[in-house]
C-alpha cells in the first residue's frame, strides 16, 4: 500500500515549548518551514485553522508558491462561506498549485471557537450541516449542468461552476471527528479519515467503526493518524528530552493559553486522548500521553518516544491496522521537521516496503 507523511506549518513560530514572538503572519517563516518539509521528504503539509488565526487558503497559496512539489492539506470549516463559493475557491486553488491541494473539513469541537465567527449551531447540528455542505461541494465539482438544492441549511438555484478541480474527480476530502454523528459523515464523504494519536487498541477500534460506516455506502476509506515524535540517539536520551518538553510546557502553559486541564472538552477526540492518558504517561511502550493530559487533550498532543528505529517500529504497528498516512510534527517544529527527514521518514518507508513485499509473497503463495 505504501505510506505517506504529512507535516504541519503555522504562519509563525510557536508550540507548547516555544512562546510566540512577532506578528501573526511571518512570511519568511512560512516560506522556510514549507521548504524544509519539502527538503525533508514529506508528501504533504497541513495548514491548521482556528477561530482567531490567519486565513488558511491564503497561507496555502503562499506556501505553494514557495515550493515546487510538496502537496498541502488545507483545514477548512464548513458553514462560514457558501459551499458553492468554497467549491470554486478550492477548485481554483487546485489549478494554481498544480493539483497539490487536499482539504481537511473540521465541523468544530468547541462551541466557543465556532461562536467567534458567529456560528451558534450545536455540536450534532454542525455535523449535519457538514454532511449537506460536502454533498453540495461534490455536486458543484462533478456535475456539468446547473442544479437546484433545497436542504436544511442551504438553498441554491442554478448552481454551477466554470472551474472544476484539476484533480479528478474532485479535491481529496480528509475528515475527522470521533462522535457518532462525525462517523456517519466520514463514512459517507471522507477519502481519508484522520485520527489523533491514540493507543493501538483505541485506534484499531475506530478504524473498524469507520470502515463499517463506509461499507454502508459501498466506499473505501484511507486512514491517517497524528503524533509528535520525540527522537534521541538512545532511548534514554529520547525520554530525557520528553521530560524536558513536559517541564517547558508547564512553564509556558499560562502565557500560551494552554493552562493545565483546559482544552476542547466537547471534542470526542480530546476525550479519547484523555482516556489513554488516564492509563498512565506511557502506553503501548512508546506512546507518551503527558502533554495530552497537561493540555486537556488539546489537538494532536501525544508522542512516540525513542530512537528513530524504535519509533519507526511503533509506526509500523499502526500501519498494520490499516493506517497508511502519518501526520507528524515536533515540539521544535522547524528543527524537528528536518530531523525527521534524516532518519525517521526513510526508515518507515523502508520498513513498510519490506512489510508489503512479505505480505504480497504470502498472498501469492496462498493463491498458488
Amino acid at each position: 500500500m505504501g505510506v505517506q507523511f504529512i507535516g504541519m506549518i503555522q504562519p509563525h513560530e510557536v508550540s507548547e515549548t516555544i512562546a510566540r514572538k512577532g506578528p501573526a503572519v511571518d512570511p519568511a517563516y512560512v516560506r522556510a518551514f514549507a521548504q524544509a518539509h519539502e527538503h525533508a521528504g514529506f508528501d504533504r503539509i497541513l495548514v491548521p485553522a482556528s477561530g482567531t488565526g490567519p486565513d488558511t487558503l491564503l497561507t496555502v497559496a503562499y506556501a505553494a508558491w514557495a515550493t515546487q512539489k510538496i502537496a498541502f492539506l488545507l483545514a477548512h470549516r464548513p458553514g462560514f462561506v457558501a459551499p458553492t463559493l468554497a467549491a470554486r475557491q478550492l477548485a481554483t486553488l487546485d489549478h494554481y498549485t498544480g493539483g497539490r491541494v487536499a482539504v481537511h473539513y473540521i465541523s468544530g469541537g468547541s462551541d466557543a471557537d465556532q461562536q467567534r465567527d458567529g456560528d451558534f449551531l450545536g455540536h450534532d447540528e454542525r455535523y449535519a450541516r457538514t454532511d449537506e455542505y460536502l454533498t453540495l461541494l461534490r455536486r458543484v465539482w462533478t456535475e456539468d449542468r446547473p442544479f437546484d438544492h433545497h436542504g436544511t441549511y442551504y438553498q441554491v438555484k442554478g448552481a454551477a461552476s466554470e472551474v472544476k478541480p484539476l484533480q479528478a474527480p474532485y479535491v481529496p476530502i480528509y475528515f475527522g471527528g470521533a462522535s457518532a454523528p462525525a462517523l456517519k459523515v466520514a463514512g459517507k464523504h471522507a477519502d481519508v479519515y484522520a485520527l489523533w494519536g491514540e493507543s493501538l487498541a483505541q485506534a484499531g477500534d475506530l478504524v473498524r467503526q469507520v470502515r463499517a460506516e463506509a461499507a454502508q455506502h459501498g466506499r473505501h476509506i484511507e486512514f491517517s493518524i497524528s503524533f509528535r515524535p520525540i527522537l534521541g540517539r538512545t532511548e534514554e536520551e529520547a525520554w530525557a528530552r520528553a521530560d524536558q518538553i513536559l517541564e517547558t510546557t508547564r512553564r509556558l502553559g499560562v502565557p500560551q493559553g494552554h493552562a493545565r486541564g483546559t482544552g476542547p472538552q466537547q471534542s470526542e477526540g480530546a476525550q479519547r486522548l484523555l482516556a489513554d492518558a488516564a492509563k498512565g504517561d506511557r502506553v503501548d511502550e512508546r506512546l507518551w500521553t503527558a502533554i495530552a493530559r497537561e493540555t486537556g487533550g488539546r489537538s494532536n498532543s501525544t508522542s512516540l518516544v525513542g530512537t528513530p528505529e524504535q519509533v519507526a517500529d511503533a509506526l509500523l504497528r499502526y500501519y498494520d491496522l490499516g493506517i497508511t498516512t502519518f501526520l507528524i510534527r515536533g515540539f521544535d517544529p522547524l528543527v524537528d521537521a528536518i530531523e525527521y527527514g534524516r532518519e525517521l521518514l526513510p526508515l518507515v518507508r523502508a520498513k513498510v516496503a519490506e512489510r508489503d513485499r512479505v505480505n504480497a509473497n504470502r498472498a501469492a503463495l496462498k493463491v498458488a
Side-chain angles (χ1 to χ4, degrees), residues 31-223:
R31 183 171 63 250
F33 209 179
Q35 290 171 349
H37 278 85
E38 186 166 67
H39 175 74
F42 283 81
D43 299 285
R44 195 178 291 276
I45 313 170
L46 168 67
V47 178
S50 76
T52 59
D55 183 82
T56 57
L57 191 146
L58 295 176
T59 301
V60 167
Y62 178 75
W65 167 82
T67 54
Q68 296 180 326
K69 297 183 296 182
I70 197 164
F72 294 88
L73 182 57
L74 184 157
H76 177 75
R77 292 186 172 185
F80 299 121
V81 299
T84 48
L85 172 59
R88 298 195 303 276
Q89 290 176 324
L90 296 169
T92 302
L93 183 63
D94 199 38
H95 279 271
Y96 281 129
T97 62
R100 290 192 280 157
V101 176
V103 183
H104 182 70
Y105 296 90
I106 303 172
S107 299
S110 164
D111 285 350
D113 204 35
Q114 296 294 120
Q115 290 169 8
R116 291 186 179 102
D117 282 316
D119 180 19
F120 288 86
L121 289 184
H123 176 276
D124 290 2
E125 271 199 287
R126 290 199 292 269
Y127 282 101
R129 180 180 60 191
T130 297
D131 181 10
E132 189 174 336
Y133 189 94
L134 291 173
T135 298
L136 270 168
L137 271 183
R138 292 166 68 181
R139 291 191 69 184
V140 172
W141 283 337
T142 59
E143 295 190 16
D144 295 325
R145 295 182 179 181
F147 65 88
D148 299 342
H149 174 86
H150 304 284
T152 303
Y153 302 97
Y154 300 104
Q155 308 283 328
V156 299
K157 186 174 182 179
S161 177
E162 294 178 6
V163 56
K164 303 294 185 184
L166 183 61
Q167 299 173 83
Y170 49 76
V171 176
I173 294 172
Y174 285 63
F175 191 80
S179 64
L183 296 183
K184 291 185 180 300
V185 177
K188 186 176 179 180
H189 294 286
D191 298 306
V192 181
Y193 177 83
L195 301 86
W196 284 350
E198 302 183 8
S199 62
L200 288 162
Q202 286 194 174
D205 178 63
L206 198 49
V207 166
R208 286 188 291 272
Q209 290 185 60
V210 174
R211 281 178 173 160
E213 291 288 347
Q216 295 184 36
H217 300 277
R219 305 184 65 249
H220 172 76
I221 293 182
E222 300 289 337
F223 293 90

